[in-house]
Amino acid sequence: MIVQPSSKVILTPAGPAFDDTDLAYYETLDAEGAAAEIDLLPVEQAILTSAPNVPPPIERDYPVLLQVPMTTTTKMTQLTAPYKYEQWTFNDTVPGPFIRARAGDVVELKITNLDKTGNPHNIDSHAFTGPGGGAALTTVEENDTKTARFKLLHPGLYVYHCAAAPVPVHIANGMYGLIYVQPATNDLPKVDREYYVMQSEFYHEPPEDGIVEFSYPNGLREEPQAVVFNGRESALTRDAPLKAKVGETVRIFFGNAGPNLTSSFHVIGAAFKRLWRDGDVISPPAHYVATVGVPPGSASIVDLKMNVPAGGTVCGV
């Protein structure tokens, strides 16, 4: 049974204000664990989007059984201008789809492995509580399907990734994404546009006929041949630039898949009007920060106000 907070919380222009009642609510969810009667929950199909797009905010005020279908595949991608690379993907995209849920929801994750190379895959979500963040229940061999349910006990922005061995190899080949668990009450202030951006590294051998393959030695030395946003060179410039009009407020859900390098996330010519570090949406945001450090496996949320008619360059490492 979901226990609603017993006192009102006042919204301020800086974002939601939280008190001990809010924390007590999530502690109640934690205490309930998975014992709630899941079969009585309404069923809802998750809206999944590919980067840089984000699903619309959740307006409902009750938990659901949120169905999230995921498929693992391989896909030849133009990684950089001269080279193609066979990426390992969730739902045929790198990064994987953005998942939007609400604290108290139960995620019904259905994962199917269509990777023809024979690699096993799974999902370790930092939003899930339990062995391996779900990896222990979701490991699938080629042409296999598994379904598991996970109750979302706390809000925040979290990375998910494949945790099949060797974990860094699966991540370095493209198997990662973000899940945003909205607070059950007092979500972030509304903005005009929302975008999804992830940084990651690719390690490859010298090319053969314009195609490059993963390099174990370069990965072990932590010497990437490409550090990119949203899975490939020019993803945020030529392919899908982040657009906004003067006067609008833009929110970026930013994650760093790594697997090795910390990101110093910054937009040239701007400061973050609001910053929720480490995906923490319970604590008050920081204000007018120019650069935020995001280590591998972590995420942050930033808001920017578009004050002048000019482009801003997104920077990481």
Side-chain angles (χ1 to χ4, degrees):
M1 179 177 178
I2 303 302
V3 179
Q4 297 295 336
S6 59
S7 62
K8 294 182 178 179
V9 179
I10 299 173
L11 293 179
T12 70
F18 292 88
D19 59 20
D20 290 341
T21 307
D22 296 273
L23 295 177
Y25 170 70
Y26 297 113
E27 289 171 358
T28 300
L29 280 182
D30 199 2
E32 287 178 353
E37 297 184 27
I38 295 174
D39 292 336
L40 298 180
L41 294 176
V43 178
E44 184 175 297
Q45 184 76 24
I47 299 173
L48 304 179
T49 57
S50 299
N53 300 311
V54 175
I58 294 172
E59 302 294 342
R60 55 181 165 80
D61 59 358
Y62 54 87
V64 300
L65 180 67
L66 191 68
Q67 296 180 330
V68 179
M70 300 286 270
T71 302
T72 64
T73 63
T74 59
K75 180 181 181 181
M76 188 64 70
T77 301
Q78 193 73 44
L79 178 63
T80 58
Y83 304 137
K84 292 183 177 181
Y85 184 99
E86 187 175 70
Q87 296 179 328
W88 302 358
T89 83
F90 290 115
N91 289 17
D92 222 29
T93 66
V94 176
F98 192 101
I99 305 168
R100 195 166 198 151
R102 176 185 178 275
D105 286 350
V106 175
V107 171
E108 183 176 81
L109 179 67
K110 181 179 180 181
I111 180 170
T112 300
N113 186 353
L114 298 183
D115 182 350
K116 296 181 180 179
T117 64
N119 286 311
H121 296 296
N122 57 35
I123 290 184
D124 170 359
S125 172
H126 298 182
F128 296 165
T129 302
L137 296 177
T138 61
T139 300
V140 282
E141 302 294 337
E142 184 181 354
N143 296 322
D144 191 12
T145 297
K146 285 188 178 179
T147 301
R149 291 175 172 178
F150 305 92
K151 187 170 184 178
L152 301 176
L153 303 179
H154 36 71
L157 181 65
Y158 301 97
V159 171
Y160 68 82
H161 59 87
C162 183
V167 179
V169 174
H170 286 249
I171 295 173
N173 275 292
M175 305 196 78
Y176 47 80
L178 289 180
I179 176 172
Y180 176 49
V181 184
Q182 287 186 194
T185 58
N186 300 307
D187 192 17
L188 305 183
K190 292 185 180 298
V191 293
D192 298 295
R193 299 174 190 263
E194 293 183 326
Y195 289 114
Y196 168 28
V197 177
M198 290 199 78
Q199 177 179 304
S200 65
E201 307 124 40
F202 285 89
Y203 302 82
H204 63 70
E205 298 287 356
E208 294 185 11
D209 299 323
I211 296 176
V212 290
E213 296 182 349
F214 177 75
S215 170
Y216 281 91
N218 290 341
L220 290 173
R221 290 194 298 268
E222 300 186 10
E223 296 177 354
Q225 280 56 60
V227 180
V228 298
F229 292 126
N230 287 353
R232 62 195 184 281
E233 180 185 294
S234 302
L236 298 185
T237 52
R238 178 194 62 219
D239 298 340
L242 311 184
K243 296 182 178 181
K245 298 177 181 179
V246 173
E248 290 185 332
T249 301
V250 174
R251 175 166 297 145
I252 298 176
F253 295 94
F254 179 77
N256 182 11
N260 293 313
L261 304 183
T262 292
S263 176
S264 298
F265 185 61
H266 169 66
V267 177
I268 296 176
F272 303 135
K273 181 180 178 182
R274 292 181 288 255
L275 161 64
W276 290 270
R277 286 187 174 92
D278 304 319
D280 172 12
V281 295
I282 294 295
S283 303
H287 296 280
Y288 300 107
V289 176
T291 303
V292 57
V294 183
S298 189
S300 288
I301 305 169
V302 301
D303 287 357
L304 303 98
K305 183 68 176 291
M306 302 295 104
N307 292 316
V308 296
T313 301
V314 178
C315 302
V317 174

